[in-house]
């Protein structure tokens, strides 16, 4: 089969979507399938091939002012038309609901190609990046003002905590996103909990559950025992929606009870400067290490060096870093939101806390770190839970879904207003 990917993010930018796309494309390419990946142009680090059967087509793009890591891809109808004519895909697979996703689903309708969409990211949970608060960079202004203050307390920070409200902006984003995915022939969800949520949101098309998977030959561990100086870990993009500030506030309470504990935060992103300032103002910066970005190839060697994984993210459709941590035998504390309870089984390999509840997260981490027996049992169960996400089984499922959807030959072509607009490039100047 020939599969055409559309995504608003891809390597060399590292995130869960890019890693998932690369893993599936590479492993399916080994089985003889061919891929063309349409994605943003980043500049330094860009590449055009990933072996003989995977080609990458880059598109001109600009940055979202409120979040420089998000690319806004310019329309290139002539380039997409040329790519489809040359590649002759059996299937279109969109991975993001951004502009590349829109271009992809428009192309699938215009040329009558069967389509699939993976719901990697809950866009309604990223509405903060579309707010005037972010666009005007008032968060940076607040950070500068904060530099004038002396030490602060957790209760002071909680006054500024943004609790998750399903506001009108979220509803609009959700409606737009769902309309896009409902134009696909099949939707893929990385978890059963997200499938249930999507169906409750009103998606009409069938939803198949396929985990993003993990290579357990790389991310592996043995049952762990509790150490005297517990080392806590958080890994991932250091962006606002991941709520890493909540993790730091919780760690302050953990330190009050277990002063020899340390926290390491691996990753880079726009929220990193404010988090460093937060640690300093709380007076716990000596107990927190910010490593910055670490190459993914090196991560399997890092996880086993830690004792407990912490996350306060409320928008995970699966949570690849959580899966990596439990595959290495770490117990975990997460929050009751979307797919996290599928990886952190409450009372089995960790605890589930209330979203944004700093005290609850801290208390549940302390319960694990003060009980060697509980810790040992949780570590063993983490290894068991991770086995259901073995990459090969996930690739088998994806290949089966691809064959099923691609077999829908003779799909009726559609001419929509958007298709007409995106075709208005007779000279190819946008390509």
């Amino acid at each position: 089969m020939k599969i055409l990917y559309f995504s608003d993010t891809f390597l060399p930018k590292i995130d869960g979507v890019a890693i998932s796309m690369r893993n599936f494309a590479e492993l399916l390419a080994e089985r003889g399938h061919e891929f063309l990946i349409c994605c943003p142009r980043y500049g330094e680090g860009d590449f055009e091939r990933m072996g003989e059967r995977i080609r990458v087509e880059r598109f001109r793009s600009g940055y979202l002012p409120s979040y420089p890591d998000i690319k806004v891809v310019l329309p290139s109808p002539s380039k997409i038309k040329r790519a489809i004519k040359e590649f002759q895909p059996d299937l279109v697979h969109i991975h993001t609901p951004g502009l590349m996703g829109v271009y992809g689903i428009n192309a699938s309708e215009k040329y009558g190609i069967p389509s699939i969409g993976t719901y990697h990211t809950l866009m309604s949970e990223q509405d903060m990046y579309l707010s005037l608060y972010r666009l005007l960079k008032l968060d940076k202004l607040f950070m500068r003002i904060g530099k004038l203050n002396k030490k602060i307390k957790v209760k002071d920070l909680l006054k500024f905590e943004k609790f998750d409200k399903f506001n009108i902006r979220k509803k609009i984003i959700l409606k737009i996103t769902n309309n896009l995915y409902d134009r696909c022939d099949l939707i893929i969800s990385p978890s059963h909990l997200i499938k249930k949520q999507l169906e409750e949101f009103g998606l009409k098309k069938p939803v198949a559950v396929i985990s993003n998977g993990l290579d357990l030959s790389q991310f592996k561990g043995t049952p762990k025992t509790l150490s005297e100086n517990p080392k806590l870990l958080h890994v991932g993009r250091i962006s606002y929606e991941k709520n890493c500030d909540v993790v730091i506030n919780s760690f302050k309470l953990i330190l009050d009870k277990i002063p020899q504990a340390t926290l390491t935060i691996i990753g880079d992103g726009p929220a990193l400067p404010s988090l460093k300032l937060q640690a300093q103002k709380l007076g716990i910066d000596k107990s927190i290490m910010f490593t910055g970005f670490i190459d993914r190839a090196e991560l399997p060697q890092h996880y086993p060096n830690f004792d407990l994984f912490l996350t306060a993210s409320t928008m995970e459709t699966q949570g690849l870093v959580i899966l990596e941590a439990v595959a290495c035998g770490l117990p975990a504390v997460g929050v009751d939101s979307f797919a996290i309870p599928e990886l952190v089984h409450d009372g089995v390999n960790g605890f589930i806390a209330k979203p944004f509840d700093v005290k609850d997260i801290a208390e549940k981490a302390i319960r694990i770190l003060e009980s060697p027996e509980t810790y040992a049992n949780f570590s063993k169960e983490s290894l068991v839970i991770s086995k259901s996400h073995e990459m090969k089984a996930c690739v088998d499922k994806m290949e089966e879904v691809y064959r099923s959807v691609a077999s829908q030959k003779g799909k009726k072509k559609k001419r929509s207003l958007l298709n007409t607009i995106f075709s208005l490039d007779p000279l190819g100047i946008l390509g």
Side-chain angles (χ1 to χ4, degrees), residues 136-152:
L136 296 176
K137 300 186 182 299
L138 295 181
D139 54 325
K140 292 186 178 180
L141 176 62
F142 174 75
M143 214 182 85
R144 290 193 185 100
I145 294 172
K147 289 181 180 179
L148 302 175
N149 299 330
K150 296 183 179 180
K151 283 188 179 181
I152 55 178

Side-chain angles (χ1 to χ4, degrees), residues 27 33 42 56 98 118 138 151 155 165 170 175 188 204 207 243 362-363 372 378 423 425:
L27 292 170
H33 304 293
Y42 292 95
V56 181
T118 295
L138 295 181
K151 283 188 179 181
K155 66 178 183 180
K165 302 288 187 185
K170 287 180 185 287
K175 181 68 174 176
I188 293 175
K204 301 177 181 66
V207 181
N243 304 324
E363 288 177 348
F378 282 5
S423 297
D425 184 23

Side-chain angles (χ1 to χ4, degrees), residues 279-333:
Q280 179 186 340
K281 296 301 180 184
L282 286 171
I284 59 174
D285 49 307
K286 289 183 172 57
S287 297
I288 300 181
M289 176 181 292
F290 296 92
T291 69
F293 173 77
I294 290 180
D295 192 283
R296 179 172 165 76
E298 300 176 18
L299 284 177
Q301 286 77 51
H302 284 273
Y303 283 108
N305 297 327
F306 294 90
D307 299 295
L308 179 68
F309 190 86
L310 292 180
T311 180
S313 175
T314 54
M315 57 158 293
E316 299 302 325
T317 52
Q318 180 166 50
L320 183 60
V321 293
I322 306 172
L323 178 55
E324 291 169 353
V326 300
C328 293
L330 274 67
V333 175

Side-chain angles (χ1 to χ4, degrees), residues 81-359:
K81 180 180 180 180
R82 185 169 62 250
I84 290 176
K85 185 177 180 180
E86 293 174 357
F87 187 60
Q88 293 292 305
D90 299 298
L91 181 72
V92 166
H93 187 165
I94 66 168
H95 286 269
T96 55
L99 288 179
M100 283 305 294
V102 173
Y103 305 152
I105 201 64
N106 284 340
S108 76
E109 291 176 343
K110 180 179 179 180
Y111 298 104
I113 306 168
S115 61
I116 287 175
T118 295
Y119 218 110
H120 287 285
T121 305
L122 294 158
M123 294 302 293
S124 61
E125 300 307 302
Q126 300 203 41
D127 70 318
M128 66 181 71
Y129 296 115
L130 302 178
S131 70
L132 287 175
Y133 174 78
R134 296 294 178 198
L135 290 171
L136 296 176
K137 300 186 182 299
L138 295 181
D139 54 325
K140 292 186 178 180
L141 176 62
F142 174 75
M143 214 182 85
R144 290 193 185 100
I145 294 172
K147 289 181 180 179
L148 302 175
N149 299 330
K150 296 183 179 180
K151 283 188 179 181
I152 55 178
K153 298 178 181 179
V154 169
K155 66 178 183 180
D156 297 321
L157 285 177
L158 293 182
K159 294 177 183 177
F160 299 96
E161 195 66 68
K162 298 176 186 62
F163 285 83
D164 192 25
K165 302 288 187 185
F166 200 68
N167 56 36
I168 187 64
R169 191 167 60 238
K170 287 180 185 287
K171 292 181 180 179
I172 292 171
I173 295 171
L174 185 61
K175 181 68 174 176
I176 293 171
T177 302
N178 286 1
N179 285 347
L180 176 68
Y181 278 100
D182 259 335
R183 292 163 64 189
C184 298
D185 296 301
L186 180 80
I187 301 163
I188 293 175
S189 165
S191 73
H192 290 279
L193 288 171
I194 291 298
K195 176 184 178 180
K196 181 181 178 182
Q197 188 76 73
L198 294 179
E199 290 171 346
E200 290 176 356
F201 285 165
L203 281 175
K204 301 177 181 66
K205 291 297 174 67
V207 181
V209 177
I210 303 178
S211 169
N212 286 326
L214 189 67
D215 185 351
L216 297 182
S217 67
Q218 292 184 24
F219 292 89
K220 56 186 178 181
T222 56
K224 299 173 68 69
T225 56
L226 187 60
S227 65
E228 292 183 4
N229 301 306
K231 295 188 286 186
L232 284 63
L233 177 67
H234 176 88
V235 181
R237 286 285 307 146
I238 310 302
S239 47
Y240 301 101
E241 78 276 9
K242 297 294 185 178
N243 304 324
C244 197
D245 56 322
V246 177
V247 171
I248 291 177
N249 287 338
S250 295
F251 180 64
K252 171 68 168 86
L253 301 182
I254 294 170
L255 271 181
D256 292 342
K257 190 78 172 179
I258 309 174
Q260 71 274 25
T262 59
L263 171 65
T264 297
I265 296 175
I266 295 177
D268 198 1
L272 188 58
S274 61
L275 294 179
K276 290 180 177 179
L277 178 62
Q278 177 186 350
Q280 179 186 340
K281 296 301 180 184
L282 286 171
I284 59 174
D285 49 307
K286 289 183 172 57
S287 297
I288 300 181
M289 176 181 292
F290 296 92
T291 69
F293 173 77
I294 290 180
D295 192 283
R296 179 172 165 76
E298 300 176 18
L299 284 177
Q301 286 77 51
H302 284 273
Y303 283 108
N305 297 327
F306 294 90
D307 299 295
L308 179 68
F309 190 86
L310 292 180
T311 180
S313 175
T314 54
M315 57 158 293
E316 299 302 325
T317 52
Q318 180 166 50
L320 183 60
V321 293
I322 306 172
L323 178 55
E324 291 169 353
V326 300
C328 293
L330 274 67
V333 175
V335 296
D336 190 8
S337 180
F338 296 110
I340 290 179
E342 281 197 13
L343 295 174
V344 184
H345 297 187
D346 193 44
V348 178
N349 72 322
F351 288 120
I352 293 293
K354 299 171 188 173
F356 299 99
D357 193 326
V358 169
K359 186 178 179 182

Side-chain angles (χ1 to χ4, degrees), residues 324-396:
E324 291 169 353
V326 300
C328 293
L330 274 67
V333 175
V335 296
D336 190 8
S337 180
F338 296 110
I340 290 179
E342 281 197 13
L343 295 174
V344 184
H345 297 187
D346 193 44
V348 178
N349 72 322
F351 288 120
I352 293 293
K354 299 171 188 173
F356 299 99
D357 193 326
V358 169
K359 186 178 179 182
D360 195 28
I361 295 170
E363 288 177 348
K364 286 178 173 172
I366 291 168
R367 282 175 63 185
I368 298 173
L369 297 175
E370 288 189 333
S371 173
E373 182 179 357
T374 298
Y375 182 91
N377 290 334
F378 282 5
S379 177
K380 291 176 185 176
E381 290 299 326
S382 279
L383 296 173
V384 173
I385 289 168
S386 67
K387 289 180 180 177
S388 63
H389 297 271
E390 170 58 50
M391 193 72 213
K392 182 183 180 301
C394 299
V395 173
D396 290 342

